[in-house]
Amino acid sequence: MRNFADRLLDAIDAKKNPSIIGLDSDFSKLPAALRKGHEREGDPFDAAAACMLAFNERIIDAIADVVPAVKLQSAFYEQYGPAGVRAFIETSEYAKKKGLIVVGDVKRGDIGSTSAAYASAYLGKSVLFDGTESAFGLDCITVNPYLGSDGVKPFVDEARNTGNGIFVLVKTSNPSSSEIQDLTCGARKVCEKVAELVHSWGRDAIGGRGYSSVGAVVGATYPEDARKLRRIMPHAIFLVPGYGSQGGGAKDVLPCFDDDGSGAIVNSSRDVIFAYQKSGKDSRFAEEARAAAIRMKDDITKALLEDGKKPW
Amino acid sequence: MRNFADRLLDAIDAKKNPSIIGLDSDFSKLPAALRKGHEREGDPFDAAAACMLAFNERIIDAIADVVPAVKLQSAFYEQYGPAGVRAFIETSEYAKKKGLIVVGDVKRGDIGSTSAAYASAYLGKSVLFDGTESAFGLDCITVNPYLGSDGVKPFVDEARNTGNGIFVLVKTSNPSSSEIQDLTCGARKVCEKVAELVHSWGRDAIGGRGYSSVGAVVGATYPEDARKLRRIMPHAIFLVPGYGSQGGGAKDVLPCFDDDGSGAIVNSSRDVIFAYQKSGKDSRFAEEARAAAIRMKDDITKALLEDGKKPW
C-alpha cells in the first residue's frame, strides 16, 4: 500500500501540473445545453443529480489528461439529498477510473468516536451485516481542526491505515478567515498554532518523498502567512484554494511550494468548470473547461520557472 | 413564521424538560433483537440503513412524550452513503411527525458561497429544474466557526429567513477542545472570542422570549468556561453536549442555564439510546431508552431546583 503523499506527488509529476480542479458543480450554474436532456426525469432531485453527474463526466473527460486530481465540494451534492450523494460517489468513481486522485472537500471534524465514523465513511470501510465495504472510497478529504487532536487523530489513523490522506484547514482563503485564524496567542497566530499541530499529527505518515499524508489547506490569498506556514509544516503538502475567482494570482501561490517547486497543489473550481460563462459558448463547456485548465497549468508553471524553481 | 428560539423554548416548557436525545444510531451497536429482521435485505447498505431507521422509529416512539427534541449525528448515517442519508431524512421526518424538534448535528462550515449551499440543503430549499424543494428540511443544524463570519453568515441568514436555527461550536466537550479553543489571545480565550462573534451574529434573530435563533454549543465538561460564556452570549441558547458518558453531571450543566433556569438544552446520546447495553435487556431497548430519558429529565430538573431555579 503506497503512502498518499507519494501517490499525489507522483501524479503531479506525471502530469507536470500542480493543480487540482474543483467540481463545485452547482446545479443552478450548469450549461443550458446540458440541462436540456435531463429536464423530464422522474423525481426532481434525481433529475438534478443526474444532470450534475453528466456534467462532471464531460468535465472529467476533458481534463483527465491535464490534471492529476479533482476535488469534489460536498455541499453542492448534499443539496440534492441521497440522489446528490449518489452523484458525488459516482463522480468520484468515474474520476478514479480515469486515473485521477479524488479529494472530497467535506471539512468534517467532530469528537473522537464521531470523527472515526466520518473517517471510515470517506476513507475506510463501513461495518455491514456481513463484513465491511467502502461507502465513499475517496483518496483524501479535508478536515476541520477546531475540536483539536482527539477530533483529528481518527482521520489521521484511517488515512495511514488505508493509504489515503487528509488536508487539515489551517489558513483558509476567504476574507473573514482572519477573525479566528489570525488571533494572536503570544508570539503565534491561531493558524500557526494549528500548523504546529498539523506538523505533529503528520509525523508518522511521511512517505518516501519526504511529505506526509497529513497535509494543510493554506489559501493563496494570504502569501505572507503561507511563507511562515511553509516553514512550520515542512512535511505537509499544501492544498491551496483562492487562486482565480477568489483573487489569488500565480505569484501568490509560490510561497506554498518548497524550494524545489514541489509540496503544493493549487485548486481552481468555478473559473475552470464554468469557464463557458465568460466565453458564452454554452455547448462547448467541456472544451472551455479544458482550455481554462491548461491556461492555469501554464500560468503556474511559468510562475514557478520565473521563481527559479524547476520541479520537472 | 415563528422564531426558532421561541419554538425551542416553548417545546422545552411544554415537556418541562430541557434535554435533547442524540440519535447517534451507530449500526454496529444496534440491538440484536432488532437487527434480526433486517439481515437479508438486498443491498447491504440499504439493509443497514433500514435497520437504523427502524431503531430510530422505536426510540422516537418511546421518548416523544418525554423530550422536546432529538439530535441526529450525521456521521453515523453518512457511513451508509445515499441509503444512510435517506435514513437520516426519514428519521427526521418521523420525529417531526411526532412533534419533536430536529437538530442535525452536521458541524458544517465553509467559505460563503459553499456555506450558502449547505444552508439551503439543511435549512432551506434546493433549486430544481422546476421550482425549489427541501432536501433535508431540518429545524436546526450545528455549524463550525473556524472560517469566520463569511462562512457562518449564510447559515444565520437562512435560519432567519426560514424560521430555523443554528448552534455554533464555541467550546466543545471533548478532552482536546483546549488545544485551539483555549488558546489565550490577550485577555480572552479563542472560545470567548468565538462567543463574541456568536453574540453579534445572533443579534438580528432574537425572538419574543429574548433568545436568538443563533445558539452555541458549550460542553458540560467545562463548567467554568460555561459560566463565562453564558455572560458573553446572553441571548444564545446553549446546546450542551458531554452530559453522561462524556463525564459531565447534572451540576456541571447548571452554568449553561440563565438565572430562570432557561436558555439551555442538554444532550445525551449513547447513554440513552443504548441504555439496553447496561441492563442487558436487548429486546426491551426502547423501554430502556425511555427510562434513561426520564432519569435524565429528573436528574436535571432536580439539579435546577436545588440551584434555586424554577423554570416551570
Side-chain angles (χ1 to χ4, degrees):
Chain A
M1 190 177 60
R2 295 198 61 220
N3 171 285
F4 171 76
D6 288 343
R7 280 204 284 140
L8 180 60
L9 295 174
D10 286 355
I12 290 170
D13 288 353
K15 300 277 172 67
K16 294 187 177 21
N17 184 3
S19 67
I20 177 169
I21 303 306
L23 297 172
D24 298 19
S25 307
D26 184 348
F27 170 71
S28 63
K29 291 188 183 136
L30 300 186
L34 183 98
R35 292 165 61 111
K36 244 177 192 170
H38 294 277
E39 268 165 351
R40 285 162 210 281
E41 287 181 39
D43 176 85
F45 286 96
D46 287 346
C51 192
M52 291 169 71
L53 176 61
F55 175 78
N56 289 341
E57 288 179 351
R58 292 280 299 280
I59 297 283
I60 290 166
D61 287 344
I63 62 171
D65 65 328
V66 179
V67 300
V70 289
K71 178 169 82 68
L72 276 67
Q73 173 47 261
S74 192
F76 295 106
Y77 301 86
E78 291 178 46
Q79 281 196 299
Y80 298 94
V85 172
R86 190 172 300 285
F88 181 100
I89 293 170
E90 288 175 356
T91 299
S92 160
E93 286 168 350
Y94 191 81
K96 283 184 141 191
K97 228 177 358 187
K98 297 285 172 171
L100 296 171
I101 286 175
V102 179
V103 178
D105 195 355
V106 299
K107 296 187 176 65
R108 299 299 194 262
D110 212 295
I111 63 166
S113 54
T114 306
S115 282
Y118 277 129
S120 69
Y122 288 97
L123 301 177
K125 290 183 173 185
S126 301
V127 175
L128 300 166
F129 275 110
D130 195 9
T132 60
E133 225 173 284
S134 287
F136 285 83
L138 305 179
D139 294 301
C140 180
I141 56 171
T142 53
V143 168
N144 187 307
Y146 190 67
L147 282 84
S149 292
D150 59 35
V152 177
K153 282 271 179 69
F155 292 104
V156 175
D157 293 342
E158 190 77 52
R160 227 179 32 210
N161 294 337
T162 56
N164 292 314
I166 62 172
F167 288 107
V168 180
L169 304 185
V170 175
K171 174 66 184 167
T172 57
S173 56
N174 57 314
S176 62
S177 72
S178 60
E179 289 176 358
I180 297 171
Q181 298 162 29
D182 289 358
L183 289 171
T184 49
C185 314
R188 290 283 206 200
K189 286 187 189 184
V190 166
C191 64
E192 292 165 355
K193 288 286 198 176
V194 174
E196 289 172 358
L197 289 169
V198 169
H199 180 67
S200 70
W201 293 330
R203 215 174 273 154
D204 296 332
I206 297 174
R209 298 192 53 171
Y211 277 95
S212 171
S213 297
V214 178
V217 173
V218 176
T221 40
Y222 303 102
E224 276 314 310
D225 289 304
R227 217 177 304 276
K228 279 191 206 164
L229 296 169
R230 181 73 280 171
R231 283 196 294 268
I232 301 173
M233 299 178 284
H235 300 294
I237 299 176
F238 284 14
L239 171 63
V240 186
Y243 170 89
S245 61
Q246 287 181 52
K251 281 196 179 143
D252 298 319
V253 308
L254 293 174
C256 295
F257 290 85
D258 64 21
D259 292 339
D260 301 323
S262 183
I265 185 161
V266 182
N267 179 76
S268 182
S269 304
R270 287 166 283 169
D271 274 0
V272 172
I273 66 171
F274 298 135
Y276 83 91
Q277 291 183 325
K278 274 189 191 156
S279 70
K281 291 174 186 160
D282 187 280
S283 63
R284 290 179 49 81
F285 70 89
E287 292 87 340
E288 294 289 318
R290 177 182 175 80
I294 292 173
R295 277 198 302 275
M296 179 183 177
K297 174 188 175 178
D298 293 344
D299 188 33
I300 293 172
T301 304
K302 187 165 161 265
L304 281 170
L305 291 172
E306 284 176 2
D307 196 39
K309 290 170 175 172
K310 288 186 185 167
W312 306 289
Chain B
M1 192 178 60
R2 296 199 59 220
N3 172 284
F4 172 75
D6 288 344
R7 281 204 284 139
L8 180 61
L9 295 174
D10 286 355
I12 290 171
D13 287 354
K15 300 277 172 68
K16 294 187 176 24
N17 185 3
S19 68
I20 178 169
I21 303 306
L23 297 172
D24 299 20
S25 308
D26 183 347
F27 170 71
S28 63
K29 291 187 182 136
L30 300 186
L34 183 97
R35 292 164 60 111
K36 245 179 191 166
H38 294 276
E39 266 164 353
R40 285 162 212 281
E41 288 180 38
D43 176 85
F45 286 97
D46 287 345
C51 193
M52 291 169 71
L53 176 61
F55 175 78
N56 288 342
E57 289 179 350
R58 292 279 298 279
I59 297 284
I60 289 166
D61 287 343
I63 62 171
D65 65 327
V66 179
V67 300
V70 289
K71 179 169 82 65
L72 276 66
Q73 174 46 260
S74 191
F76 295 106
Y77 301 85
E78 292 177 47
Q79 282 195 300
Y80 297 94
V85 172
R86 190 172 303 285
F88 181 100
I89 293 171
E90 289 176 356
T91 298
S92 161
E93 286 168 351
Y94 190 81
K96 283 183 143 192
K97 228 177 359 187
K98 297 285 173 171
L100 297 171
I101 287 175
V102 179
V103 178
D105 196 354
V106 299
K107 296 188 176 64
R108 300 298 194 261
D110 212 294
I111 63 165
S113 54
T114 306
S115 282
Y118 277 130
S120 68
Y122 287 98
L123 302 177
K125 291 182 173 186
S126 301
V127 175
L128 300 166
F129 275 110
D130 195 10
T132 61
E133 226 173 283
S134 287
F136 285 85
L138 305 179
D139 294 301
C140 180
I141 56 170
T142 53
V143 168
N144 187 307
Y146 190 66
L147 282 84
S149 292
D150 60 33
V152 176
K153 282 269 179 69
F155 291 105
V156 174
D157 293 342
E158 190 78 52
R160 226 177 33 208
N161 295 337
T162 56
N164 293 315
I166 63 172
F167 288 108
V168 180
L169 305 185
V170 175
K171 174 65 185 169
T172 57
S173 56
N174 57 314
S176 62
S177 73
S178 60
E179 289 176 0
I180 296 171
Q181 298 162 30
D182 289 358
L183 289 172
T184 49
C185 314
R188 292 281 207 201
K189 287 185 187 183
V190 165
C191 63
E192 292 165 354
K193 289 284 198 176
V194 173
E196 290 172 358
L197 289 169
V198 169
H199 180 65
S200 70
W201 292 330
R203 215 175 273 154
D204 296 331
I206 297 175
R209 299 192 52 170
Y211 276 96
S212 172
S213 297
V214 178
V217 174
V218 176
T221 38
Y222 303 101
E224 276 315 309
D225 289 303
R227 217 178 303 278
K228 279 190 208 167
L229 296 169
R230 181 73 280 171
R231 283 196 294 269
I232 301 173
M233 299 178 283
H235 301 294
I237 299 177
F238 283 13
L239 171 64
V240 186
Y243 169 89
S245 62
Q246 287 182 52
K251 283 200 176 135
D252 297 319
V253 308
L254 292 175
C256 295
F257 289 86
D258 64 21
D259 292 341
D260 300 323
S262 184
I265 186 161
V266 182
N267 180 76
S268 182
S269 305
R270 286 166 285 169
D271 274 1
V272 172
I273 67 171
F274 299 135
Y276 83 90
Q277 291 182 326
K278 274 188 191 156
S279 70
K281 291 174 187 160
D282 186 281
S283 63
R284 289 179 50 83
F285 70 90
E287 292 87 342
E288 294 289 318
R290 176 180 174 80
I294 292 172
R295 277 197 303 275
M296 179 182 177
K297 173 189 175 178
D298 293 345
D299 189 32
I300 293 171
T301 304
K302 185 163 163 267
L304 281 171
L305 291 172
E306 285 176 2
D307 196 38
K309 290 171 177 173
K310 287 188 184 164
W312 305 289

